[in-house]
Amino acid sequence: MSLWPRFKRAVKSIFGGAISSLESPKLILEQNIRELNEQVPRMNRNIADVKANLIMLQKEERKLQGKVADLTAKIKASIQNSREDLARQFAIRLEAVRADLEKTAEQLAFANKAYEKALQVRKVFMRERERKINEARDAMRAHERAKWQSQIADALHEFEVGGLDNTHGEMINRLEQETARNEAKMELALDSLDAQALQLEEDSEQHRADAIVEQMKLKMGLASTAVPTPPVKGGTHLDPGSRTMGRNSTS
């Protein structure tokens, strides 16, 4: 083997390995996604240019068709008025306009095909772009999961159970003691409340609610029984005319 091929191979082996080590697949995929997204507005602009040319040709065709109709009418009018000289002039202009119309029609047919082709290309590109982006994102998510799992595996590998055993039980005992103290505080707080007074207040509220419901039934004609008088804290009762809908409003 000559020296030059050997030298090229040596250079490739050195710099090729260095470049590969510097490449980050994740960063390259993210750059690819950005470039794919940047191509969309450029493609849309190109399609818009094709569409604009198509619209322009359509307008030109309608304009030339109008000229053909106008010149044809003028030729007929000239012949009817025995002005064959004018008819011949209009006929010459008509020939030129018809030639322009034929060229425009050909260009318009080509522009229609170009626009349809551009739309097809855009559809294929968008589908392929979506596929590549999803593929890249799936690969990056899988890489992140694998990276996290690798970190957990390394942590488990380096995990020293004996180092934790010395403090593990002590910390659990401390937590259990603190939990017991908090539960004891709650029980003392509940014991200090007047449970009987709370129950009487709840019963009073229930009686007042029943009285309000019965009163509403009477007003609606749904019940004929007498409305029970709700007891009030302290042993007094409210007469039917002074029943309240709450603590501040009158029914």
Side-chain angles (χ1 to χ4, degrees), residues 28 33 56 58 109 144:
I28 292 175
I33 291 175
M56 183 185 66
Q58 289 173 342
E144 288 298 322

Side-chain angles (χ1 to χ4, degrees), residues 146-159:
K147 183 178 179 181
W148 175 79
Q149 291 171 355
S150 176
Q151 292 174 352
I152 297 298
D154 292 340
L156 290 175
H157 181 71
E158 297 174 359
F159 185 69

Side-chain angles (χ1 to χ4, degrees), residues 122-172:
R122 183 183 184 279
K123 183 178 180 180
V124 172
F125 171 79
M126 294 300 290
R127 184 170 60 247
E128 186 65 14
R129 164 186 165 274
E130 189 71 17
R131 186 187 68 81
K132 287 183 177 299
I133 289 177
N134 290 335
E135 187 178 41
R137 287 175 176 170
D138 290 341
M140 287 189 290
R141 283 193 291 266
H143 177 264
E144 288 298 322
R145 288 194 300 269
K147 183 178 179 181
W148 175 79
Q149 291 171 355
S150 176
Q151 292 174 352
I152 297 298
D154 292 340
L156 290 175
H157 181 71
E158 297 174 359
F159 185 69
E160 294 181 0
V161 178
L164 289 177
D165 286 342
N166 297 328
T167 58
H168 185 74
E170 181 183 353
M171 295 300 105
I172 289 179

Side-chain angles (χ1 to χ4, degrees), residues 24-38 132-133 135-137 139-141 143-144:
S24 172
K26 181 181 178 182
L27 295 178
I28 292 175
L29 286 176
E30 289 176 348
Q31 178 62 28
N32 290 344
I33 291 175
R34 286 193 293 269
E35 291 179 357
L36 287 171
N37 289 329
E38 290 172 357
K132 287 183 177 299
I133 289 177
E135 187 178 41
R137 287 175 176 170
M140 287 189 290
R141 283 193 291 266
H143 177 264
E144 288 298 322

Side-chain angles (χ1 to χ4, degrees), residues 42-151:
R42 290 200 297 267
M43 178 172 290
N44 289 336
R45 287 194 295 269
N46 291 335
I47 294 177
D49 292 340
V50 175
K51 180 67 173 179
N53 182 57
L54 176 63
I55 293 173
M56 183 185 66
L57 289 172
Q58 289 173 342
K59 291 181 178 179
E60 182 67 18
E61 184 183 44
R62 288 193 294 270
K63 180 180 177 181
L64 291 174
Q65 288 173 346
K67 286 184 178 181
V68 168
D70 182 62
L71 289 171
T72 300
K74 288 180 179 179
I75 292 172
K76 292 180 179 179
S78 298
I79 292 174
Q80 290 175 353
N81 293 323
S82 301
R83 294 294 306 272
E84 293 186 3
D85 55 336
L86 289 177
R88 283 192 292 270
Q89 293 178 10
F90 291 137
I92 293 173
R93 291 171 56 187
L94 178 61
E95 288 276 326
V97 172
R98 282 177 174 172
D100 291 341
L101 179 60
E102 184 177 355
K103 292 179 182 179
T104 301
E106 292 176 357
Q107 293 175 354
L108 181 59
F110 179 79
N112 272 315
K113 292 180 180 179
Y115 180 64
E116 292 175 359
K117 186 68 174 178
L119 292 179
Q120 292 176 358
V121 170
R122 183 183 184 279
K123 183 178 180 180
V124 172
F125 171 79
M126 294 300 290
R127 184 170 60 247
E128 186 65 14
R129 164 186 165 274
E130 189 71 17
R131 186 187 68 81
K132 287 183 177 299
I133 289 177
N134 290 335
E135 187 178 41
R137 287 175 176 170
D138 290 341
M140 287 189 290
R141 283 193 291 266
H143 177 264
E144 288 298 322
R145 288 194 300 269
K147 183 178 179 181
W148 175 79
Q149 291 171 355
S150 176
Q151 292 174 352

Side-chain angles (χ1 to χ4, degrees), residues 215 227 229-230 238-244 250-251:
Q215 186 178 8
V227 180
T229 302
L238 294 177
D239 57 73
S242 63
R243 294 189 183 94
T244 59
T250 303
S251 59

